[in-house]
Amino acid sequence: MQTFTETAPLGINEPGSPLVAGVTSLRAANASLGSGGPIHGGVVVATWGSGVPLILRGFKDGRARVELNMLPVSRASRDGFWVGDGADIMRNALLFE
């Protein structure tokens, strides 16, 4: 994990994906993010403003799988964490088939 300041607009690589439905922004003063990328045929659906992968999708053992590269805690719990559409991102990931 590395810590980044993420204030640039998100990169949406698949604008029609249900994983980004209702998602327009996500920022963080101290974002704890993994520094890796997709493996085993995974696809980057969206990136943080810096280009670090945010939402990845793929299949594992015949089942849809989603990975979110964000600490799932909002600024409501502690200053410095994310603010924006993080809850929508998590909802979309949980509903993804």
Side-chain angles (χ1 to χ4, degrees):
M1 283 280 181
Q2 297 180 13
T3 301
F4 297 87
T5 297
E6 292 288 351
T7 58
L10 295 177
I12 306 294
N13 299 340
E14 293 188 334
S17 172
L19 290 168
V20 292
V23 175
T24 59
S25 70
L26 190 66
R27 300 181 316 278
N30 294 303
S32 295
L33 310 174
S35 57
I39 60 171
H40 304 296
V43 175
V44 177
V45 176
T47 63
W48 286 94
S50 65
V52 172
L54 169 61
I55 304 170
L56 300 98
R57 66 169 176 80
F59 286 90
K60 172 111 172 123
D61 299 325
R63 296 180 65 184
R65 180 178 176 106
V66 176
E67 299 283 339
L68 302 178
N69 190 15
M70 58 185 271
L71 183 65
V73 181
S74 75
R75 188 173 288 169
S77 65
R78 190 184 93 186
D79 193 41
F81 288 147
W82 59 258
V83 63
D85 297 325
D88 293 322
I89 291 170
M90 287 187 277
R91 180 200 66 230
N92 293 346
L94 289 168
L95 296 173
F96 187 72
E97 297 183 77

